[in-house]
């Protein structure tokens, strides 16, 4: 079983739609939870992050974490064509010796059609 | 302020050749990470530097990969000799401290023919 599961899509929606992106995870040791957005041929860009269960809102974006269910979500309201990108969930994991790493989902490719 | 920069953006080499990738972290970031994404797979951790010291290299695939960070500034990742399965996108990320948010570069796309 992969540590982080993410439906790769692709997901296609009309402009203005509400988009829901989800990841599940199996490792209870994950410490914080992030969503990155990646445009084609670019690097992952940090979009949202949260440390605890609950919701965090930033403009049209809401990140939700449910640690009891090991489930995280990203909601995009009033989606725009400029939101078309691949969305990656990522979770931090402490390693021995004080190090840490991010564990990523495969990413969901989103297209918002005008 | 400049972000994480990586050179080259794309490298095409033949099997058996050597390639060196470079990463310049955000100024002042002591932590530097290398990740890799091979086709069809998720981005995976390779190793973590704090300043010039390797904190963890548990993700390095084999001894054909050598990462350095002399002086604690930029880092290089050398693949020698390259194999077909090394093709993918190599990302570098940096953070101000361990446990802080990681910021990624645009990546180096490596194609081994």
């Amino acid at each position: 079983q992969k540590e982080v599961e993410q439906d790769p899509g692709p997901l296609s929606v009309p402009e203005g739609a509400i988009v829901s992106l989800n990841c599940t995870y199996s490792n209870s040791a994950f410490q914080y939870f992030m969503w990155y957005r990646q445009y084609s041929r670019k690097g992952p860009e940090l979009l949202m992050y949260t440390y605890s269960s609950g919701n965090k809102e930033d403009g049209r974006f809401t990140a939700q974490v449910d640690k009891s269910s090991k489930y995280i979500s990203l909601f995009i309201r009033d989606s725009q064509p400029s939101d078309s990108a691949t969305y990656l969930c990522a979770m931090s994991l402490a390693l021995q010796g004080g190090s840490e790493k991010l564990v990523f989902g495969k990413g969901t490719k989103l297209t918002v059609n005008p | 302020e400049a972000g994480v920069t990586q050179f080259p953006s794309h490298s095409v080499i033949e099997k058996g050749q050597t390639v060196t990738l470079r990463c310049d972290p955000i100024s002042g970031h002591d932590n530097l990470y290398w990740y890799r994404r091979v086709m069809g797979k998720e981005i995976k951790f390779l190793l973590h530097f704090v300043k010039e010291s390797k904190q963890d290299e548990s993700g390095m695939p084999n001894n054909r990969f050598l990462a350095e960070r002399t002086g604690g500034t930029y880092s290089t990742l050398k693949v020698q000799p390259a194999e077909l399965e090394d093709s993918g996108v190599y990302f570098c990320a940096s953070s101000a401290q361990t446990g802080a948010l990681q910021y990624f570069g645009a990546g180096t796309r490596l194609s081994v023919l």
Side-chain angles (χ1 to χ4, degrees):
Chain A
Q1 182 189 11
K2 284 188 180 298
E3 286 189 289
V4 179
E5 297 276 3
Q6 182 177 8
D7 186 343
L11 184 61
S12 182
V13 302
E15 184 175 354
I18 296 174
V19 175
S20 172
L21 305 168
N22 310 294
C23 289
T24 59
Y25 62 96
S26 58
N27 193 339
S28 299
F30 287 139
Q31 294 177 306
Y32 57 96
F33 306 88
M34 289 140 288
W35 287 94
Y36 284 85
R37 178 175 60 194
Q38 186 176 18
Y39 292 112
S40 181
R41 303 286 172 157
K42 301 289 187 182
E45 170 196 9
L46 183 64
L47 197 59
M48 299 279 290
Y49 66 94
T50 183
Y51 296 89
S52 57
S53 285
N55 294 350
K56 182 177 181 179
E57 192 173 315
D58 183 2
R60 296 184 295 110
F61 299 89
T62 299
Q64 186 177 79
V65 174
D66 182 344
K67 285 189 173 183
S68 62
S69 301
K70 296 189 176 66
Y71 188 89
I72 71 170
S73 298
L74 178 71
F75 298 96
I76 307 174
R77 291 183 298 281
D78 187 26
S79 56
Q80 303 294 309
S82 58
D83 296 328
S84 298
T86 295
Y87 290 81
L88 302 150
C89 63
M91 307 178 189
S92 72
L93 182 66
L95 302 174
Q96 287 186 347
S99 183
E100 73 153 12
K101 68 177 182 180
L102 298 185
V103 180
F104 282 86
K106 271 192 172 183
T108 300
K109 186 172 183 179
L110 171 68
T111 301
V112 181
N113 301 298
Chain B
E1 180 183 298
V4 177
T5 53
Q6 293 187 245
F7 305 97
S9 58
H10 192 186
S11 180
V12 182
I13 61 172
E14 293 188 351
K15 176 183 172 181
Q17 290 185 323
T18 298
V19 64
T20 300
L21 315 180
R22 172 170 168 150
C23 169
D24 286 72
I26 293 171
S27 177
H29 279 194
D30 286 340
N31 289 261
L32 187 150
Y33 306 82
W34 284 98
Y35 291 83
R36 175 175 78 166
R37 182 172 192 158
V38 297
M39 189 179 294
K41 302 282 189 179
E42 60 274 15
I43 296 172
K44 286 195 171 178
F45 169 82
L46 296 178
L47 85 159
H48 170 208
F49 283 99
V50 176
K51 297 184 180 179
E52 66 276 7
S53 300
K54 289 178 189 173
Q55 285 293 105
D56 190 289
E57 52 184 334
S58 60
M60 294 287 263
N62 51 61
N63 60 10
R64 295 186 294 103
F65 290 76
L66 175 64
E68 295 180 320
R69 194 183 181 195
T70 307
T73 54
Y74 70 91
S75 173
T76 58
L77 180 65
K78 181 192 286 188
V79 184
Q80 180 183 28
E83 298 288 346
L84 299 178
E85 63 266 24
D86 300 333
S87 295
V89 184
Y90 290 76
F91 292 105
C92 175
S94 72
S95 68
Q97 56 196 27
T98 305
L101 299 172
Q102 296 182 27
Y103 296 90
F104 282 75
T108 293
R109 185 173 298 271
L110 175 64
S111 300
V112 183
L113 306 178

